[in-house]
Amino acid sequence: GDIQSTSQNGGQLAGFRNQIINGGFDINQRNITDTSAANIYFADRWFKGNWSGRIIVSETVPNGFHRSLSFSGSADSPVYQTVELPRTGKAGPYAVGTTWTLSCYARCSSGGDIRLAKRFINDIAKNATDESAQTFTLNADWQRISFTFTISSAPNAANTGLQVLIVPLTTNEVFVTGVQLEPGPVAT
């Protein structure tokens, strides 16, 4: 049967669960720390879509982290990372019926909502399939939020990745860090 665990981030299993690269926004080879530009990669592996709000790689963080991502000025404005499939159209570990958990730490000084979402895609957002999301209400305190989902359909023949989206639904400043995508129903 399956085993559930609240932590597998130490010892021999460390580093093998999280499918997200740079979930703490620590790596920033492009050196983009503050931008309102649209359709741009900023912190490594992360993409800001076609929206006018501002993102900042910030040092406002919960204990245990070095950087976060700050969003402000535009509601319903995603950033995302695409986890490549093993081959175009092939689900690999994201097979129908598998359960995954997308989690992060988030806060919003003035309160507001945030959405965590996923979808199979090719290129940036073309031919999206198997889309699902969950909305959370934030306050001024850092909180761990997690969205557990089950893959309900296979990627289409043109899909190249599973894309995870972080979507503030407020114009108030929102901070996010510690993004993880891992197999199973528990955020570790």
Side-chain angles (χ1 to χ4, degrees), residues 22 26-32 42-44:
N22 199 26
D26 292 319
I27 311 300
N28 190 6
Q29 295 179 48
R30 292 172 184 86
N31 201 30
I32 297 172
F42 56 99
D44 288 21

Side-chain angles (χ1 to χ4, degrees), residues 8-59:
Q8 293 182 2
N9 290 329
Q12 294 177 328
L13 294 177
F16 291 109
R17 293 182 55 77
N18 191 6
Q19 303 293 297
I20 298 296
I21 296 173
N22 199 26
F25 308 100
D26 292 319
I27 311 300
N28 190 6
Q29 295 179 48
R30 292 172 184 86
N31 201 30
I32 297 172
T33 57
D34 185 343
T35 187
S36 294
N39 296 318
I40 186 172
Y41 281 94
F42 56 99
D44 288 21
R45 298 285 181 155
W46 290 96
F47 188 82
K48 177 182 182 265
N50 188 19
W51 54 276
S52 61
R54 181 178 181 193
I55 56 169
I56 298 171
V57 177
S58 170
E59 292 185 2

Side-chain angles (χ1 to χ4, degrees), residues 60 106-112 138-141 170 172-175:
T60 300
R107 68 181 283 252
C108 181
S109 299
S110 301
L138 303 177
N139 58 39
D141 298 322
T170 177
N172 296 332
E173 188 172 30
V174 172
F175 294 89

